[in-house]
Amino acid sequence: MRVDWLVLIIVVAFALLKIDAMGTIALATDTSVEAEGPLPERKYPWKTSNVRGTPDPPLPCKSVRVFTGIELSNPTDVVWLPSAKRWIATQQNGEIFAFANDPNTSESNLVLNLNDCHRQRIGQALATQFHRDLENHPWCYVTYSYRGSDDPGTKCVRFKVTDPTVPIIDPDSRQELLQWDPKGHTGGSMQFGPDGMFYLSVGDTQPPYPPDAKETGQDISDLEASILRLDVDQPEDAAPYRIPADNPFLDHPNARPEVWSFGLRNPWKIAFNPNNGDLLAADVGWEMREMIHRIDRGRNHGWSIMEGSQIVKQRQPPSIPITPPLFEHTHLDSRSITGGHFWQSDRLPELKGAYIYGDWMTGKVWALKSAGDQVLWQKELVDTPLQIVCFMSSPDGEVLIVGYDGTILRLEANEEASRQQAFPRRLSETGIFANTVDQVPATGVFEYQIKAHHWADGTLSRQWIGVPGSSQLGQYEKDDWQRPIVAGRFEFPIDTVVAKTVSYDVDPSDPSTRRHIETQVLHLADEEWRAYNYVWNDSQTDAILQADVATETQLRIVDPSADDGFRTQTWRHASRSECLLCHIWAGGTVQGFWPPQLDLQRFGHDGSFSQLKRLKELGYFKTAIKSNTAIVSPHDQSQSLQDRARSYLALNCSTCHRPQGGGTANFNFDITKNLDANNYLDEPPAQGHFGIPDARVIKPGSPSQSILLYRVLKSGRGHMPQFGSNMIDLLGVRLLHDWIASLDDSAGTPIWKTAANELTSADDRQVEIDRQLGSPAGALALSLAYGFSESELSSDLKAAVIDSATNHPDSLVRDLFEHYLPEDERVERLGPDISVERLLAIEGVAERGRQLFENARDVNCRSCHSINGIGKNVGPDLTGISAKQTPRELLVSMIRPSEKIEDRYRSQQILTSEGQLFVGIVTKEDTESIALVDSSGTSITIAKDDIEQSQRSNKSAMPDQLLAGMTAQQAADLLAYIVSTAAAPQNGSAED
C-alpha cells in the first residue's frame, strides 16, 4: 500500500466521563459552544495583516501542468515504453493505460485490466515494468495486491507482450514470480539494473502501530522489508527466475536468497543512476524521518531498530551493521517520501545528474546529487499542491511529477527566484498590533488567555490570534495524518497568524520592571505553518525578525540571595527550525489555541464571561465548537493531584510523546488517553536506566525508581524535555514527585524527607553526604531534599552538599545538582557547536592535559589511543603525533573525526558465516586470515573462509562529539598535552 493510505491514526475522544482514582478516562464535562441558530459573522475583520509569504527567497523552480487532456484515475506508476513510444500508466484500480508523448493528446487506450485475471477485484495495482529486451524476453512485470479469498497476496507477476509497438499484452499469460502479505506497506517498485538483474522493493507489510510488530525489518528469512534481486532472463526449474550467484545471503542459514538488502519500512519507488549505476530507494518513515537510501549488496538499512538516525527499538542489536541513509528529512518538511528519477536533460543544467524526488503529503519536490554515500548537493525545487505518488522519466531525460489525482507537472525555471519577497522585518510592520510598544492589538486581532502554560524558564507570556479578513474557524471531527489534521483542533484559514510575546520581570516582585524578550509568530502559509521569532531591542521600542539561527540573550534578574543582588539567566531565541520541533501537526501545531485551553468560564479583566462564548459572539466560529475540560493548570490547588500532574506532562512532554510525535519510547502523555493507554506506569525505560536499579518510566509509589523524575531533575545530556527550556522547574518536579508517591498507598515517608532526616541526624555528615551521593538513586533523593524548602536543611549543610555533589566524579550524580549553582558558576561545556578558532586561541596546560588523558573517568581517549605507553593501541599511538599534524589538524580530527580518515584506521565490519559480527581496525591481513583490534583493545583473528561479508566503514572508529562534554579549557589542555609529547623512540635511540 502506498504509504499508510487507508490507515488513519484515530485518537478516540471519550467525552462526558470523569477520571476515576487511577485516571481511567482523561476527559470530563462537555462545555461545547452549541449553535443556537445561525452563527454570527465576524464583528471586527482583520484588515491590517502584512504577514504573507515568507522571508526566504522564492524556490528555483515552478511547476507547469502538462498532458492536460489525459485523465488518469489515481495513478500509482507511469513508465516510458520505447518500443511503443508511449507512456504506460498503472492505476490503483487495476487498469493499465497507454498514451502518446504528446502534451496535447487526450487519447489513451486500455492495455490491461488486472481485475480480469481474478474472480474478485484486486485491492490495488502498484507498478508496471517492461523488460529492456522485449525482442528476446517479451515480458512485462506488474505488482499489485489481491485480497480475494482465492490466493490473497501482494504479487509480482509477468505477462507476455505479444506486440511491443502498441503494446498488446496477453492477459491469459499471467505467471507469478513472488507474493507477500497484501496488508500494510507493500512496496512494489521494480527496475532493471545495469547488471541486467531485476530489482524489486517490498515493504514491511504492516500498519504503523505498533512499529514492525512482526519484527520483519531485521528478518532476512522472509521477503518483507527488503530489496530483492532476481535473474529473470534465466529461469530455473519451474520458477520464472533464478537466484544470481553473487546475491549476499545465498548460503546464509534460513535466509531468503532473493534478498539483496534489507531493513526498509516501505521503499516507495527505486531508481538507478544511469551515470554510475547507484540504486536509490525512497523509504517512507514512521514518526520522525523520511529516508533516501543508497542500496548496495547485503546492506542493513536499520528498520525497525532505527528510523534513519532516530532510534526506534534501542535494545535490539543488529545482526549486520546498519548503513545510515544517504539523506534524511525530518517531518518538518516531509512526511511520506516518494522516490523519483535522475534528471539527464540539458534543460535546467543545474539539475543534470540530480535525483529528483518528492513527498506525498507536503507536495514538495527536491533534487539531490551524491557520490557514493556522500551527498554533494541537495535543495528544494518547488512546492506543489499535489499528493505526489510517482515521477515519470521522460525519453528526453527530464523528470515529470505525477499527482494521485492524475495531474502531471513539468519543472521550469522560476524567473522570480532571485527576487526577495516582501515580508515584515519588524514586529511593528506585521499589522498584528495597533501599538507595538504597549502591545495593543490591531482591530480584528483577539488577545486570548489559556488555562495552563508549559514551563518556559519562569517567563510570562501574552497571546493573540489574527484570522485574516472576515474568515472564520472550523473544527476537525477526526484525525487524518495525510492532510495532516487532528480531531478537536481548529481548522484555520490560510494566513492565520498566532503570536505570543514572552517577557520577564527584572524584579520578580515588581511588574513595572517587565521587559519583553521576543514575540513568537506562527503563520499558516499555503497550508503549512511557519515559525518566526521577533527579538525585542534593548530600548523596547520594537522587535526585529531573527534569521533562521538560534541566538542567546543574558537576562539579569533581581535575586536577594545572590552575592550582588542579581542572578543571570540565559534565554535561547530558538531558530525557526527549532520552533517547529514542538509545533508539529500531531500535537495540533498551535498547542495553546484549542477548545480545552480556551474554555475559561471567567474570562476577561473582570472575569464576567466565557472566552469561548465571547469568540462565538465576535463571529470567529463557522460551526458549533465541541470542547471538554481535559486540561487543568498544574498550579491550581483546587484540582486533583493526578489531574495536575497529567496536565503538566501533557503540556511539557506530549508534543514528542504521542503517536506521530517522534518520542522513541513506547508511551505517550496525551491527556485525552486513559492511563492504561498512556503506557508509562511500571514500564521499563527504553532509553537507559541511568544507573538506577529496577528502573521504570514511572514506578507507582517509588519516585527514586522513576526515570521520568530523574530526567526532569537532571541537567545536561538526558534531561527532559529535550528542548524548549534551559532551567529546571522545581515546582513541576515537586508535583511529579508527589503524584508518583501517591500512586501507591504504601509508599511511606517521602524519599527527600528520609534523605534530609538521615543527613541532619548523622554523626559525620560528610560521610553521610558521600554515602547518599554513592548512587544516582540516592543522589536523586538528596537533590530533592536540597531543592525542596520543607526539608529545612541548614545553609551549612546545603553548602556541604552542593560542594560535594557538583565536584562528584560521576556525571549521573553531578548533573542532579549543577543547576542549583548560579549560572556563572556552572560548568560551561563545549556542547555540539565547537569553534576550532576559539579553542586554538586558548592556552592549554600540558600537565593538566596529561592528567585528563591518564586519569579522568569521563575522558576516554586512552581506551583507543596511547601516549608514552599509557592507553590502548586500537587507534594510532599519539606519541609524537605533532610531528605529522598541526594543532589545527589534530583538533579538527577530534571534532570531526570522519572528515579525514587514514585507510589503515578506518574500521572494518565483518560478518562471519555463523552470524557473528566483529568491528575493529585491521592490524594484519594475509591470504588465510584477517586480524582486528576492537574498541576494547581485544585482538581478534578471523579465518577468511569463515567471512560471510566484510565492508569498510565510512565513519571513523572515533565517536563524534568526543569533546562536547568537556570544557573549553579541558579541550585546550588535552590538545596541549598531545602536541607536547615527544616522538616515540625507534631502534633504541630518540635521535634516530
Side-chain angles (χ1 to χ4, degrees):
M1 182 180 290
R2 166 62 178 115
V3 299
D4 301 332
W5 269 347
L6 304 179
V7 181
L8 298 179
I9 314 304
I10 300 177
V11 179
V12 181
F14 296 94
L16 305 174
L17 293 173
K18 273 286 186 184
I19 304 173
D20 64 21
M22 282 301 291
T24 304
I25 299 294
L27 305 189
T29 309
D30 189 336
T31 53
S32 304
V33 178
E34 300 295 344
E36 299 169 359
L39 288 167
E41 296 180 355
R42 285 280 296 279
K43 190 171 184 179
Y44 304 108
W46 183 31
K47 300 179 179 180
T48 60
S49 177
N50 295 314
V51 184
R52 300 182 188 88
T54 166
D56 302 320
L59 294 171
C61 294
K62 62 183 179 180
S63 56
V64 177
R65 187 172 181 184
V66 291
F67 296 104
T68 56
I70 295 296
E71 296 183 3
L72 298 178
S73 175
N74 302 140
T76 54
D77 197 59
V78 184
V79 297
W80 176 248
L81 180 57
S83 60
K85 295 184 173 55
R86 294 170 72 80
W87 292 104
I88 308 299
T90 306
Q91 296 186 159
Q92 189 182 26
N93 64 8
E95 296 174 338
I96 300 174
F97 284 88
F99 60 93
N101 191 29
D102 176 2
N104 299 314
T105 187
S106 59
E107 296 182 4
S108 63
N109 62 284
L110 182 69
V111 296
L112 182 66
N113 189 342
L114 295 170
N115 296 291
D116 295 338
C117 301
H118 292 276
R119 289 186 297 178
Q120 297 171 261
R121 293 188 64 82
I122 71 161
Q124 60 174 350
L126 299 168
T128 302
Q129 188 63 249
F130 288 82
H131 200 288
R132 291 180 176 178
D133 182 8
L134 287 174
E135 183 177 348
N136 296 306
H137 302 280
W139 301 103
C140 79
Y141 300 84
V142 183
T143 50
Y144 64 94
S145 293
Y146 177 65
R147 297 179 182 174
S149 56
D150 56 324
D151 194 26
T154 296
K155 303 172 183 293
C156 177
V157 304
R158 71 178 187 177
F159 293 90
K160 192 164 189 177
V161 182
T162 57
D163 186 345
T165 64
V166 179
I168 298 174
I169 298 171
D170 179 4
D172 297 325
S173 63
R174 183 176 68 96
Q175 186 176 15
E176 186 173 299
L177 280 75
L178 294 165
Q179 79 166 27
W180 54 95
D181 195 318
K183 300 184 290 297
H185 311 121
T186 54
S189 182
M190 299 168 288
Q191 293 289 343
F192 280 92
D195 56 359
M197 298 297 111
F198 179 75
Y199 292 78
L200 168 65
S201 73
V202 181
D204 69 5
T205 70
Q206 295 175 74
Y209 292 94
D212 192 15
K214 299 177 183 177
E215 304 290 350
T216 189
Q218 294 293 301
D219 184 0
I220 57 174
S221 69
D222 58 33
L223 299 176
E224 282 77 14
S226 302
I227 301 295
L228 310 181
R229 180 175 180 257
L230 315 174
D231 184 347
V232 296
D233 294 352
Q234 302 181 57
E236 194 168 68
D237 299 327
Y241 66 88
R242 74 172 181 88
I243 306 298
D246 57 345
N247 269 17
F249 306 111
L250 191 64
D251 299 319
H252 196 285
N254 301 317
R256 286 296 297 256
E258 295 93 341
V259 174
W260 179 249
S261 68
F262 67 100
L264 299 155
R265 184 172 182 265
N266 188 19
W268 185 257
K269 305 305 177 188
I270 59 176
F272 280 96
N273 186 337
N275 300 317
N276 61 17
D278 281 352
L279 175 59
L280 300 191
D283 192 20
V284 178
W286 181 47
E287 290 199 334
M288 290 296 285
R289 301 288 188 267
E290 301 294 319
M291 290 73 65
I292 301 294
H293 290 291
R294 179 174 170 264
I295 305 299
D296 208 348
R297 182 181 187 275
R299 281 188 167 183
N300 176 8
H301 299 284
W303 180 252
S304 59
I305 298 173
M306 305 289 291
E307 177 196 18
S309 62
Q310 181 88 0
I311 295 172
V312 178
K313 297 179 180 178
Q314 184 179 30
R315 289 169 290 183
Q316 180 180 330
S319 60
I320 292 175
I322 292 172
T323 300
L326 175 66
F327 190 83
E328 69 176 14
H329 291 265
T330 71
H331 278 193
L332 296 179
D333 60 356
S334 174
R335 288 185 284 274
S336 182
I337 204 80
T338 296
H341 297 282
F342 289 85
W343 187 278
Q344 299 295 298
S345 170
D346 289 326
R347 192 179 69 82
L348 305 179
E350 184 186 30
L351 299 184
K352 191 166 185 178
Y355 177 64
I356 310 298
Y357 65 102
D359 191 78
W360 159 269
M361 290 179 65
T362 66
K364 295 179 181 294
V365 176
W366 299 273
L368 179 151
K369 292 182 180 180
S370 61
D373 290 325
Q374 182 180 2
V375 173
L376 306 176
W377 174 88
Q378 194 275 346
K379 66 166 58 176
E380 184 179 350
L381 299 181
V382 68
D383 195 349
T384 77
L386 302 183
Q387 290 176 304
I388 299 174
V389 69
C390 66
F391 290 81
M392 300 160 59
S393 181
S394 71
D396 57 4
E398 295 191 13
V399 178
L400 306 179
I401 307 161
V402 183
Y404 187 55
D405 64 354
T407 299
I408 301 174
L409 300 178
R410 180 176 187 251
L411 288 173
E412 292 187 357
N414 184 6
E415 299 84 1
E416 305 293 321
S418 60
R419 299 183 187 178
Q420 190 71 27
Q421 297 186 65
F423 192 87
R425 305 285 161 170
R426 294 176 176 270
L427 186 60
S428 57
E429 298 169 354
T430 61
I432 298 171
F433 297 101
N435 185 319
T436 302
V437 173
D438 295 334
Q439 300 280 272
V440 177
T443 300
V445 175
F446 182 82
E447 181 171 3
Y448 64 93
Q449 298 172 18
I450 58 177
K451 281 185 177 181
H453 293 262
H454 68 85
W455 170 246
D457 291 351
T459 57
L460 310 163
S461 63
R462 293 170 63 185
Q463 299 84 210
W464 299 265
I465 184 168
V467 180
S470 298
S471 301
Q472 295 177 300
L473 307 177
Q475 188 178 30
Y476 295 117
E477 295 184 357
K478 63 180 182 179
D479 295 343
D480 186 345
W481 69 274
Q482 296 187 67
R483 295 180 59 181
I485 58 176
V486 180
R489 297 284 179 165
F490 285 116
E491 179 186 1
F492 297 99
I494 298 297
D495 282 332
T496 294
V497 173
V498 181
K500 178 170 77 172
T501 292
V502 179
S503 309
Y504 74 104
D505 291 338
V506 176
D507 183 349
S509 65
D510 184 2
S512 68
T513 64
R514 187 160 301 170
R515 290 180 63 83
H516 305 317
I517 305 172
E518 65 187 22
T519 297
Q520 304 164 0
V521 172
L522 284 173
H523 172 222
L524 182 58
D526 300 326
E527 299 185 354
E528 181 178 323
W529 287 97
R530 300 177 185 268
Y532 304 103
N533 219 341
Y534 289 85
V535 179
W536 280 81
N537 58 25
D538 290 339
S539 61
Q540 297 282 283
T541 57
D542 209 341
I544 310 302
L545 178 65
Q546 178 177 262
D548 190 12
V549 294
T551 60
E552 291 182 345
T553 295
Q554 298 293 320
L555 311 181
R556 196 162 183 263
I557 301 171
V558 172
D559 185 352
S561 66
D563 292 340
D564 63 351
F566 287 89
R567 64 177 174 86
T568 58
Q569 176 180 327
T570 299
W571 178 266
R572 183 177 178 85
H573 301 284
S575 68
R576 298 170 196 167
S577 301
E578 287 176 332
C579 292
L580 292 173
L581 292 174
C582 284
H583 292 286
I584 62 174
W585 74 267
T589 307
V590 188
Q591 283 95 344
F593 197 87
W594 71 304
Q597 278 276 33
L598 299 172
D599 192 8
L600 293 168
Q601 297 305 306
R602 293 184 295 277
F603 169 71
H605 296 297
D606 58 358
S608 59
F609 49 86
S610 158
Q611 182 169 227
L612 283 174
K613 289 185 178 178
R614 178 61 175 160
L615 285 164
K616 172 190 169 184
E617 291 166 0
L618 292 173
Y620 277 92
F621 303 144
K622 63 182 178 182
T623 59
I625 300 301
K626 298 177 181 179
S627 180
N628 58 70
T629 55
I631 202 145
V632 303
S633 170
H635 309 296
D636 184 353
Q637 299 290 332
S638 69
Q639 301 293 331
S640 74
L641 180 61
Q642 179 153 285
D643 285 0
R644 292 165 52 215
R646 294 194 66 207
S647 292
Y648 184 89
L649 293 173
L651 291 163
N652 293 285
C653 308
S654 69
T655 295
C656 292
H657 290 290
R658 65 165 61 240
Q660 299 285 344
T664 56
N666 187 31
F667 59 81
N668 69 85
F669 292 118
D670 186 346
I671 200 168
T672 66
K673 303 282 191 181
N674 61 44
L675 272 177
D676 288 340
N678 286 155
N679 200 36
Y680 51 70
L681 292 184
D682 220 21
E683 287 294 317
Q687 304 294 333
H689 53 75
F690 293 86
I692 296 175
D694 195 26
R696 295 291 184 268
V697 178
I698 289 181
K699 178 73 171 177
S702 181
S704 63
Q705 293 176 277
S706 298
I707 285 297
L708 181 143
L709 189 67
Y710 176 88
R711 296 188 70 172
V712 297
L713 182 60
K714 84 180 297 289
S715 55
R717 183 172 175 81
H719 168 72
M720 287 291 169
Q722 192 172 17
F723 36 76
S725 66
N726 293 321
M727 295 176 62
I728 306 298
D729 179 13
L730 280 178
L731 289 177
V733 170
R734 179 60 187 270
L735 171 63
L736 295 175
H737 167 277
D738 292 353
W739 175 55
I740 294 169
S742 75
L743 293 174
D744 187 336
D745 293 337
S746 63
T749 305
I751 58 171
W752 61 267
K753 186 172 288 187
T754 298
N757 291 341
E758 291 177 348
L759 180 55
T760 55
S761 62
D763 293 332
D764 189 327
R765 292 179 174 179
Q766 185 59 53
V767 170
E768 179 59 23
I769 290 173
D770 292 342
R771 185 191 70 80
Q772 294 193 30
L773 295 178
S775 69
L780 171 62
L782 186 57
S783 178
L784 297 174
Y786 184 96
F788 295 170
S789 58
E790 297 95 320
S791 67
E792 298 181 350
L793 293 180
S794 67
S795 57
D796 289 344
L797 262 183
K798 282 193 166 187
V801 168
I802 203 69
D803 181 64
S804 295
T806 55
N807 289 289
H808 199 278
D810 188 350
S811 62
L812 296 179
V813 170
R814 190 173 59 243
D815 288 349
L816 290 165
F817 293 86
E818 194 171 283
H819 57 87
Y820 292 121
L821 295 172
E823 194 171 85
D824 58 356
E825 294 181 24
R826 297 173 196 164
V827 175
E828 183 181 352
R829 306 189 187 279
L830 288 171
D833 302 320
I834 302 176
S835 167
V836 172
E837 302 302 328
R838 178 192 172 199
L839 287 184
L840 289 173
I842 298 173
E843 184 177 353
V845 178
E847 175 57 24
R848 289 200 304 249
R850 184 185 68 81
Q851 293 289 338
L852 275 172
F853 182 88
E854 294 181 1
N855 302 316
R857 290 178 57 187
D858 53 353
V859 176
N860 299 317
C861 303
R862 63 184 180 278
S863 65
C864 291
H865 301 280
S866 68
I867 297 179
N868 295 330
I870 296 176
K872 297 179 180 179
N873 291 316
V874 178
D877 187 332
L878 299 181
T879 310
I881 191 71
S882 59
K884 302 176 182 177
Q885 296 185 29
T886 66
R888 176 185 295 276
E889 289 172 333
L890 285 169
L891 188 56
V892 168
S893 71
M894 288 190 280
I895 295 171
R896 299 187 292 273
S898 297
E899 192 170 283
K900 183 180 180 181
I901 314 170
E902 286 187 54
D903 259 1
R904 59 179 174 152
Y905 294 118
R906 190 182 297 274
S907 63
Q908 189 90 355
Q909 301 168 331
I910 294 178
L911 180 70
T912 69
S913 55
E914 295 181 353
Q916 291 180 291
L917 174 67
F918 298 100
V919 181
I921 293 172
V922 177
T923 56
K924 182 181 178 181
E925 184 174 3
D926 55 32
T927 57
E928 301 295 326
S929 64
I930 183 169
L932 304 177
V933 58
D934 67 16
S935 59
S936 68
T938 303
S939 295
I940 307 153
T941 300
I942 308 164
K944 285 198 169 178
D945 288 344
D946 293 336
I947 295 176
E948 174 74 23
Q949 181 184 3
S950 177
Q951 66 180 34
R952 287 287 183 96
S953 172
N954 290 314
K955 286 184 68 67
S956 169
M958 189 163 78
D960 294 328
Q961 302 297 326
L962 193 66
L963 302 182
M966 293 186 188
T967 66
Q969 187 62 59
Q970 285 175 325
D973 292 344
L974 183 63
L975 179 64
Y977 173 56
I978 295 172
V979 169
S980 74
T981 60
Q986 297 178 9
N987 300 325
S989 171
E991 286 77 12
D992 290 344

